[in-house]
Amino acid sequence: MLLATALGPVHQEYLLQARQMQALSFAVHIPLVCFGIAFPAMVLFAEWLHHRTGDPVYRTLARRWTRVMVALFAVGVITGTVLSFEMGLLWPNFTATFGSVFGLGFAIEGFSFFLEAIFIGIYVYGWERLSPRAHMLSGIPIVIAGVTGSFMVIAVNGWMNHPTGFTLRNGEVTNVHPVDALFGNPYFWHELVHMYLAGYMVTGFLVAAAYAVGKLRGRWGRYERTALVIPLTIAAFVSPVQVLVGDWAGREVANNQPTKLAALEGLPHTMRGAPVHILGVYTDDQVKYGIEIPKLLSLLATHDPNGRVQGLDTVPRQDLPPINVVRFAFQTMVGIGTLLALLGLVVIVERVRRRRLPDSRWFYAAVALAGPAATVALLAGWTTTEVGRQPWVVYHVMRTSEAVTAADGIPIGYGALALIYLVVACGVVWILRRLARAPMEPVG
Amino acid sequence: MTLADVLMVIILVGLVLYVVLGGADFGAPVWQVLAGRGPHAEEIREHAHEAMAPVWEANHVWLIFVITVMWTAFPVALGSIASTLCVPLFLAGVGIIARGAAYALRAGTTSSAQVKAIDMVSGISSVLTPFALGAALGGIASGRVPVGNARGDLMTSWLNPTSITIGVIAVISCAYLAAVFLAADAVRRDEPALAAEFRRRALIAGAVAGLVAAAGLVVLRSDARGLFDELVGGDGLVGLIVSALAGIVTVIALLRGRSELARYGSAVAVAGVVGGWALAQAPVILPGLTVDQAAAPHDTLVATLVAIIAGAAILFPSLGLLFRLVLGGRLGDGADEPAAPGAWQLLEASAAGLRGRAAVACAVVGFGFLTVADAGWAHVIGVVALLSAICLGFLAAVPALLPE
Ligand code: HDD
Ligand code: HEM
Ligand code: HEM
């Protein structure tokens, strides 16, 4: 049935550019947001160690990290503001038609942003003005707001992937229950957990990578070692778990979005005992040049090596996402995720056997690479989810082409935003280098 | 008053708070750029930065609040507005990026040339964003935004006499608000000389704002006659009168050096204008679309209202805490007590080995319930177990790894 969109039908020549503009904005926002999710907890942990031990190195660490946190938070705020503008600027018909269903999530999220902004202000400007205990306490709402902030957005994303909480009558959206839509939806829990852990992986590995690079260049004092151990240990424990959670995500996709699952593998026909292909490309209704592992897809998706998995031929061609983009993104994420889990296991095994980190240069080179790699996995994961849902913006209800604005000039906006983000990225690099080079405060 | 009206009032309150708090933030760089050279100018620039830095993020969230509540409670209106007014809104976004980036970068500056360059970026944003947002409001107020997907003219909807007037008024008002706020902040910080400087600036900016606003009424009369009539003859008049009275109170307060009173006076003056506009336009949001017609279904309105009330209960005490801290005092008693909460002590007491084994146990349980089992309730247990495994493992591993 055709959806009667609130603002009527549209034709937009530059739909692809609008999608790319959206993707660009997310690709900038989401890595920053990882720091909002995970960094406050690491800073607080360092501060707590200072209180426990009285050792000034932890205090120095916490204070220097705080400055990084503030700078990244500011950029997180502006990129997030751009995203909320874009909901109206790029997808007015989506917002106009379904704002009453999903908007509540963002309205609640607004309060979580408030709390985060307020307590970051208190935490940062309170180092000298608060008692140590009050100062630690003022950090806790930041950690909580990091969870709730991502919770709401992901609830909305879960709803877009598995829409509930309303009825379509003659194409009209009626019988709207926003609370059901957002919180009664079974589909977003795996996204939330997976994203939350990804936040810790990205932040942990990136921060550790900065000090690993320093170590390779010969900067390896007590401060640097401490600063590497804390984030690396967290990321090391999270990474193996992430593989299990990713597997869970895959099963949820298999149950609720079989077309997306078929695209992840490039499975042309519905079959029993479906295989997995590693690498390769999807052309002419099959995966070519890949390494086949028989029955693995069935086993992973249905827990039965001969289970039935739905193929791409069950939906009309125009309703398929771009298979190779989705496949490639998925394989990138899983490949990197597996390697990072191995790296994490190396850390854990070395800790158990020798009570220390490995010494080899290779290890530190791997850590230095792990940071960027985790970020790539993060973006690849979101590409899997979002591109895998295409051509729908609201799964099986509203097409992305129906959601888009009718205004001209999308390429101009896209170009301008890309240029601005390039400048902002240079600024971020500059400030981070500055902060890294700032002289250590006198320890003692 | 219907439920939809209540939500519209909440949106307007959010808008007033954004105009006042965010406006003061956008106005501050005007004074930084105009400060000139020398150590004295440096002082002015630093004060304008330091007074705003702790609160700017919180101040800007009001805009997010307005947008998100609007798209939840009045989705069709938001879709129509955003699509037709995409150009000014995009420009406003660019200004916000510039302002936020400038805050992020200022921490890394070392030379005064760098500070100046960054203040210049802020200065550009403080003209761009208020003007663009004012122009967008002007488009709505003068009925140039029809219902539909980019149905209005992308250019004349915001480049027209009313829009330009409101845009200019917005820029000047922001500078004015900033001067008033910075004067009050300087008093709080016990810097009477700076306070006097900013009071002087506030008076000048206030006078200019008043003149432009008066001229604006003439423009409105010829360009948006309906709105003008409602403003000076209809319901909107109340708002204008409140605003004018508050403006006078502010001027007197400034002349007498009562900066704190001026702060509230200027806020009320802004609220009066926004309120007057809303009353003049009510009950119509966009041509042919009233508040009740635009409203989302009943369930959504109720849920949104509940969420806002619950959120406000947390928000306002926290905001109070932040402003109290920023405006001077200390919190707590400052005694250097050992700050180890009880649960942590317990963890510390238990041996690392025990934690390690517990982590392994949790990991096994988690694998079983999340990966092998299929039921939803099992997945909950599995996730909790795996998260516990991460925490326990981290706490077990990290002490030995930290360098002595
Ligand atoms: C550091 C980042 C990272 C790593 C190492 C992994 N993932 Fe992931 N993945 C994400 C970051 C991510 C994410 C945060 O970007 C996504 C996007 C949407 C979501 O819920 O999480 C995602 C989505 C996502 C989806 C789609 C979910 C959906 O559409 O609802 C699946 C099936 C997987 N992942 C599976 C895996 C597997 C099997 C991994 C292990 C080897 C893995 N991921 C590692
Ligand atoms: C809460 C909400 C949302 C989240 C978390 C989310 C996340 C993402 C991410 C991460 C990407 C891909 C970035 C990349 O390729 O690196 C993306 C792409 C995209 N998103 Fe979403 N999104 C959300 C809401 C929306 C909305 C509201 C729309 C539009 C109506 C939308 C439409 C798109 C489109 C069109 C793309 C580009 C896909 C392509 O290039 O084919 N998303 N989104
Ligand atoms: C994967 C998806 C997303 C996640 C996990 C996420 C999470 C977060 C978090 C944790 C923050 C806090 C700021 C920080 O720590 O840097 C933040 C900021 C922000 N996000 Fe996102 N977000 C996502 C996508 C979106 C989308 C789709 C929108 C808008 C529609 C959005 C709007 C915002 C806004 C406006 C802010 C700034 C809040 C402030 O002023 O403090 N985000 N986001």
Side-chain angles (χ1 to χ4, degrees):
Chain A
M1 186 193 341
L2 227 56
L3 176 72
T5 59
L7 302 182
V10 281
H11 173 74
Q12 174 57 259
E13 200 178 334
Y14 295 108
L15 174 63
L16 189 65
Q17 280 78 359
R19 285 168 57 187
Q20 286 170 353
M21 187 168 168
Q22 181 75 31
L24 168 74
S25 316
F26 277 120
V28 175
H29 183 63
I30 294 175
L32 289 163
V33 155
C34 290
F35 281 82
I37 291 174
F39 212 23
M42 296 186 197
V43 174
L44 268 192
F45 183 72
E47 190 183 356
W48 177 74
L49 282 176
H50 169 65
H51 288 316
R52 293 290 327 194
T53 61
D55 189 334
V57 79
Y58 298 124
R59 184 183 153 87
T60 311
L61 189 63
R63 295 208 63 161
R64 288 173 68 92
W65 276 359
T66 302
R67 279 186 227 137
V68 176
M69 180 171 86
V70 172
L72 292 179
F73 181 68
V75 189
V77 169
I78 54 184
T79 54
T81 307
V82 168
L83 282 172
S84 36
F85 272 54
E86 279 174 351
M87 296 287 272
L89 293 182
L90 290 177
W91 317 107
N93 222 359
F94 169 66
T95 314
T97 311
F98 289 108
S100 61
V101 187
F102 75 81
L104 180 66
F106 285 110
I108 299 176
E109 196 195 11
F111 284 103
S112 141
F113 291 153
F114 263 126
L115 280 190
E116 193 160 2
I118 290 168
F119 280 95
I120 281 205
I122 294 178
Y123 186 80
V124 171
Y125 297 90
W127 273 105
E128 260 87 41
R129 298 182 186 180
L130 292 170
S131 72
R133 178 187 225 123
H135 191 253
M136 284 270 315
L137 287 179
S138 76
I140 291 173
I142 312 177
V143 179
I144 296 174
V147 184
T148 50
S150 29
F151 185 98
M152 289 302 157
V153 198
I154 290 173
V156 173
N157 192 266
W159 173 83
M160 290 162 63
N161 279 297
H162 188 260
T164 52
F166 65 95
T167 323
L168 275 188
R169 196 169 299 134
N170 303 326
E172 299 271 355
V173 177
T174 56
N175 206 3
V176 172
H177 298 291
V179 178
D180 281 357
L182 291 174
F183 310 114
N185 178 0
Y187 187 73
F188 82 101
W189 296 104
H190 70 276
E191 285 196 282
L192 179 68
V193 177
H194 201 47
M195 175 64 206
Y196 199 64
L197 296 185
Y200 274 86
M201 285 179 69
V202 168
T203 309
F205 279 126
L206 271 180
V207 175
Y211 297 99
V213 170
K215 149 102 181 157
L216 292 174
R217 292 187 182 160
R219 271 199 309 276
W220 196 233
R222 182 153 176 266
Y223 172 83
E224 285 82 9
R225 276 154 60 200
T226 313
L228 180 127
V229 160
I230 294 175
L232 182 63
T233 315
I234 295 183
F237 279 95
V238 172
S239 306
V241 172
Q242 181 75 317
V243 175
L244 299 184
V245 175
D247 164 60
W248 171 36
R251 274 179 284 139
E252 292 292 331
V253 172
N255 287 337
N256 293 294
Q257 297 187 320
T259 320
K260 193 191 266 182
L261 187 83
L264 297 185
E265 156 56 21
L267 186 71
H269 312 291
T270 305
M271 64 189 286
R272 296 187 172 279
V276 163
H277 286 84
I278 298 174
L279 302 176
V281 283
Y282 184 84
T283 46
D284 306 329
D285 290 344
Q286 56 172 306
V287 178
K288 282 198 181 144
Y289 318 116
I291 305 162
E292 183 176 323
I293 305 179
K295 305 204 177 192
L296 185 60
L297 187 64
S298 285
L299 180 65
L300 288 175
T302 64
H303 275 175
D304 167 5
N306 292 314
R308 209 176 101 96
V309 182
Q310 191 175 318
L312 291 165
D313 56 357
T314 44
V315 286
R317 224 165 245 281
Q318 77 269 16
D319 285 357
L320 288 180
I323 312 292
N324 276 319
V325 177
V326 181
R327 252 196 110 236
F328 180 68
F330 182 66
Q331 301 230 337
T332 307
M333 166 175 63
V334 175
I336 292 176
T338 311
L339 292 176
L340 292 179
L342 289 177
L343 183 65
L345 289 176
V346 168
V347 172
I348 296 173
V349 168
E350 282 292 282
R351 161 63 183 75
V352 171
R353 283 185 35 215
R354 305 199 305 147
R355 298 181 64 79
R356 53 188 291 198
L357 290 179
D359 310 309
S360 98
R361 280 182 75 80
W362 288 110
F363 174 73
Y364 291 94
V367 174
L369 280 180
T375 316
V376 171
L378 173 82
L379 294 178
W382 277 108
T383 308
T384 309
T385 300
E386 290 293 298
V387 179
R389 190 190 59 224
Q390 302 300 325
W392 305 100
V393 62
V394 182
Y395 193 59
H396 284 176
V397 177
M398 181 185 235
R399 285 168 194 277
T400 313
S401 57
E402 296 171 302
V404 71
T405 177
D408 305 325
I410 288 176
I412 300 175
Y414 179 31
L417 191 75
L419 206 66
I420 293 168
Y421 273 176
L422 195 67
V423 176
V424 170
C426 295
V428 170
V429 172
W430 179 80
I431 180 84
L432 291 180
R433 294 178 66 120
R434 276 285 160 147
L435 293 178
R437 291 207 194 123
M440 293 280 164
E441 35 182 285
V443 172
Chain B
M1 205 142 127
T2 63
L3 202 51
D5 292 336
V6 174
L7 278 159
M8 187 45 91
V9 169
I10 290 175
I11 290 176
L12 288 171
V13 170
L15 187 64
V16 168
L17 286 167
Y18 180 63
V19 173
V20 173
L21 299 170
D25 181 63
F26 275 116
V30 171
W31 306 118
Q32 292 175 310
V33 171
L34 294 182
R37 303 159 170 280
H40 180 62
E42 203 113 307
E43 223 174 282
I44 288 184
R45 281 206 295 270
E46 277 319 298
H47 177 62
H49 173 72
E50 272 166 22
M52 296 294 173
V55 288
W56 77 272
E57 273 153 339
N59 288 349
H60 277 271
V61 184
W62 288 110
L63 178 63
I64 311 291
F65 174 83
V66 168
I67 294 178
T68 53
V69 176
M70 184 88 183
W71 83 41
T72 311
F74 304 98
V76 173
L78 185 108
S80 309
I81 291 170
S83 56
T84 291
L85 293 171
C86 56
V87 182
L89 292 179
F90 184 80
L91 293 178
V94 171
I96 294 173
I97 298 177
R99 184 72 175 133
Y103 271 114
L105 298 187
R106 214 171 184 278
T109 51
T110 41
S111 71
S112 80
Q114 286 173 342
V115 172
K116 263 202 175 145
I118 282 180
D119 286 350
M120 202 60 185
V121 174
S122 295
I124 293 170
S125 76
S126 67
V127 176
L128 191 61
T129 303
F131 180 82
L133 288 179
L137 288 187
I140 300 170
S142 57
R144 287 181 165 98
V145 180
V147 175
N149 191 342
R151 202 64 63 72
D153 190 296
L154 294 192
M155 282 301 153
T156 60
S157 61
W158 66 286
L159 285 178
N160 58 67
T162 305
S163 287
I164 292 175
T165 314
I166 298 185
V168 172
I169 293 178
V171 173
I172 301 171
S173 308
C174 287
Y176 163 64
L177 282 167
V180 172
F181 274 58
L182 290 172
D185 290 336
V187 171
R188 294 258 184 168
R189 292 168 175 225
D190 237 356
E191 307 218 34
L194 263 183
E197 291 253 4
F198 277 109
R199 275 200 297 273
R200 200 164 52 76
R201 288 171 162 75
L203 282 170
I204 298 172
V208 178
L211 285 179
V212 177
L217 280 178
V218 180
V219 176
L220 220 57
R221 185 163 185 277
S222 68
D223 189 57
R225 189 59 195 248
L227 184 72
F228 175 83
D229 288 344
E230 281 294 323
L231 259 182
V232 300
D235 295 340
L237 189 59
V238 187
L240 286 200
I241 292 175
V242 168
S243 177
L245 288 178
I248 293 170
V249 169
T250 313
V251 169
I252 296 175
L254 284 173
L255 287 173
R256 298 227 169 141
R258 309 241 338 243
S259 303
E260 203 57 32
L261 181 60
R263 194 201 293 262
Y264 295 106
S266 63
V268 174
V270 170
V273 174
V274 174
W277 163 50
L279 287 172
Q281 202 173 312
V284 176
I285 303 186
L286 301 177
L289 188 73
T290 65
V291 170
D292 281 325
Q293 290 164 345
H298 187 258
D299 271 22
T300 302
L301 298 183
V302 173
T304 312
L305 194 62
V306 171
I308 292 175
I309 292 171
I314 308 175
L315 173 66
F316 283 104
S318 323
L319 265 182
L321 200 67
L322 175 66
F323 282 112
R324 270 222 321 274
L325 185 66
V326 169
L327 295 178
R330 288 172 71 90
L331 293 165
D333 54 9
D336 220 320
E337 67 219 275
W344 283 108
Q345 267 161 352
L346 209 72
L347 268 176
E348 275 299 287
S350 67
L354 197 61
R355 261 176 267 153
R357 260 166 270 155
V360 174
C362 282
V364 172
V365 171
F367 176 80
F369 278 91
L370 182 69
T371 309
V372 181
D374 274 328
W377 60 266
H379 291 167
V380 176
I381 300 178
V383 167
V384 172
L386 286 175
L387 295 182
S388 314
I390 293 173
C391 294
L392 289 168
F394 172 72
L395 290 173
V398 92
L401 293 177
L402 285 170
E404 272 310 304

